[in-house]
Amino acid sequence: MRPNVAVLGAGSWGTTLASMCARHGPTTIWALEDEVAREINARHTNSLYLQGFELTPALRATRRVEEATEGAKVVVLAVPSPYFRAVLGQAAPFVPKTVPVVSVAKGLEPETLLRMTEVVAQVLPDNPRAALSGPNLAREIIAGYAAGAVVACHDAEVARHLQGVFNSGLYRVYTTHDVVGVEAAGALKNVIAVAAGMADGVGVGDNTRALIITRGLAELTRLGVAMGGEPSTFAGLAGLGDLLATCISPLSRNRHVGEQLGKGRKLEDIVGEMRMVPEGIHTCRLVLEIARRHGVETPIAREIDRVVHGEVTPLEAYRRLVRPLPGPESQ
Amino acid sequence: MRPNVAVLGAGSWGTTLASMCARHGPTTIWALEDEVAREINARHTNSLYLQGFELTPALRATRRVEEATEGAKVVVLAVPSPYFRAVLGQAAPFVPKTVPVVSVAKGLEPETLLRMTEVVAQVLPDNPRAALSGPNLAREIIAGYAAGAVVACHDAEVARHLQGVFNSGLYRVYTTHDVVGVEAAGALKNVIAVAAGMADGVGVGDNTRALIITRGLAELTRLGVAMGGEPSTFAGLAGLGDLLATCISPLSRNRHVGEQLGKGRKLEDIVGEMRMVPEGIHTCRLVLEIARRHGVETPIAREIDRVVHGEVTPLEAYRRLVRPLPGPESQ
């Protein structure tokens, strides 16, 4: 039997992760919406965020945070980055100091530009903190397909412990100590995914799509290393792996928004149809601000930000991105 | 007016490149097949290798090598790696020492395991030699889509000269001195593309596809660096860029073979239907031999080789590739 796990957040990924954990030990998921919690308990489904999949029957759901965290030996935060601090703050009084807090959110806190484990450090300074990331499209994992991920923690022992908590069947978890790299990659890749989706929408072809993802990885690595991450992390599962899954899969929300923008639709209309807001949209401006502070050039993020704010059309943005740059190739 | 260019080889990429060069200066293409040469001259099309596209009317074709190379100031070799030496040998007597020889072939010479510019060095030791590579799906480029490439040459001045020869409209060429890296990446990526296609054919999902491409880039980088290439090349257009285009595009032959193998079809039947043999199939064993010599692990190439030789099924190969590897993520 594995330790009790509390998953806070019942979107597609939180639900998938909780359902996997519930196969191996007591697991409780906190849902914002009462009807989601009820449905998970009564019917073992989450039709709002994960339609068409059966969840592990042993998974318990609640909309009371204190109930979810009661007795938990691991707490997982699976809420979008803008709501991360608020939900963690609700849970904090019920989480003992020894319990590791694991972020699976991919983004930065809007006002502070903090990474999610930095928010954990402010709210629960004594708890071990970690980030779980990788090419993890929820619908494929809940369907039982193979996938890999990394759990990042400064403490190698905690990392190994969490590896044992999250490993499940064909979902294989590796460890790393590079928390900054994993979180930076997770936040920045969504912006590149919007750009790759836009390439599809505009219809610029696979050569250009490959070029944008390649330059996107270089941009992400440049900024992530400036933030303190290690170069090899960006070439791994949490970097290139997650970037690729997000850039090529029809299941990716960020890619979808980019594609629809590329087809000439308005951002409000696209987002209005979606249940979950894609992080890439609001992350874009945050990335630009961080890049400015570190003195790093991020041309893709800059162009996507202009498109998102209606300053240029997607086609104009693409023309600028593939504009001739004479001389040697630079990373 | 740009210098006279001779392109030896009238497959899809040779024809595309020649058609682009012919827009800017006198260009002659050598075709193996008489009917291809006649059709290019008479109708400005190449229906055998590039059906549906109009070529630059000024492009001249011939099936006599000495006619193609006459007066040429740049010679481009666009034939598959197994025939590279033979065609170059035919041309050699007609190529003055000052004329740069540019390889656009992606592969290694079967018996010798030499890179294409190493073959040039043996056949024409005094000529400048270079390699042109990148995410360059011929059909997209002939259709006028944007794309990037790198031209690699030890001599920076020759590289800049060739950049000026190949730059054309939205086809943007960058320079690099890392000839080994560019050629190693070009040869090895086809093997990974077969693996990525196989992922599609088996139906393992986008998470696993992203994982395979990520590990594939690591494998390719590891081996390419052991061969003498520079790490940054593998993260650039000739490395990740070309790998991605080959792994994700329906236009890629290597990806197609992998996909069909993944669906359970026999290699002979798949290749029998194709006009151009995908390099990834015969490159696989060469890659394994080079890896053995350098003492580098190449698990993806090893599994693909087993599938190609009918030793394991694609599904078994995939199970082995995603098998649990406890511990830290390694590049």
Side-chain angles (χ1 to χ4, degrees), chain A residues 288-330:
Chain A
L288 289 177
E289 176 54 25
I290 287 195
R292 195 189 59 74
R293 291 185 190 176
H294 288 284
V296 171
E297 280 293 309
T298 53
I300 297 176
R302 194 184 58 225
E303 292 301 332
I304 297 304
D305 188 64
R306 284 186 183 145
V307 172
V308 164
H309 291 90
E311 292 165 21
V312 300
T313 67
L315 200 59
E316 285 164 351
Y318 259 91
R319 287 212 180 108
R320 266 209 282 261
L321 285 172
V322 300
R323 198 166 42 177
L325 296 162
E329 183 184 27
S330 60

Side-chain angles (χ1 to χ4, degrees), chain B residues 6 15 48 58 64 71 77 93 99 124 161 163 181 187 201 207 209 212 230 235 280 288 315 322:
Chain B
T15 304
L48 203 56
R64 291 175 52 231
L77 265 281
V99 171
L124 287 169
H161 171 63
Q163 180 179 41
N207 288 333
R209 196 153 65 120
I212 290 295
E230 294 169 22
L288 289 177
L315 200 58
V322 300

Side-chain angles (χ1 to χ4, degrees), chain A residues 135-137 140-141 145-148 150 163 172 174-175 203-211 213-215 217 232 235-237 240-241 244-245 248-250 322-329 331, chain B residues 135-137 140-141 145-148 150 163 172 174-175 203-211 213-215 217 232 235-237 240-241 244-245 248-250 322-329 331:
Chain A
N136 292 169
L137 297 156
E140 290 193 358
I141 291 175
Y145 286 65
V150 290
Q163 181 179 39
R172 310 305 312 176
Y174 302 83
T175 58
V204 292
D206 288 322
N207 288 333
T208 296
R209 196 154 63 121
L211 179 144
I213 299 175
T214 301
R215 290 209 193 142
L217 180 65
S232 64
L237 288 174
L240 177 59
L244 283 179
I248 66 186
S249 177
V322 300
R323 198 166 42 177
L325 296 162
E329 183 184 27
Q331 298 304 322
Chain B
N136 291 169
L137 297 157
E140 288 193 358
I141 291 175
Y145 287 63
V150 292
Q163 180 179 41
R172 310 306 312 176
Y174 302 83
T175 58
V204 292
D206 288 322
N207 288 333
T208 296
R209 196 153 65 120
L211 179 145
I213 300 174
T214 301
R215 289 209 194 144
L217 180 65
S232 64
L237 287 174
L240 177 59
L244 283 180
I248 65 184
S249 177
V322 300
R323 198 167 41 178
L325 296 162
E329 182 182 27
Q331 296 305 321

Side-chain angles (χ1 to χ4, degrees), chain B residues 12-51:
Chain B
S12 58
W13 184 222
T15 304
T16 298
L17 208 52
S19 182
M20 278 198 291
C21 289
R23 279 188 225 144
H24 309 288
T27 306
T28 311
I29 189 166
W30 169 82
L32 178 68
E33 301 92 341
D34 196 33
E35 70 267 30
V36 171
R38 282 173 198 271
E39 185 187 328
I40 292 173
N41 285 329
R43 289 191 277 140
H44 317 305
T45 54
N46 180 347
S47 54
L48 203 56
Y49 294 110
L50 211 55
Q51 181 143 35

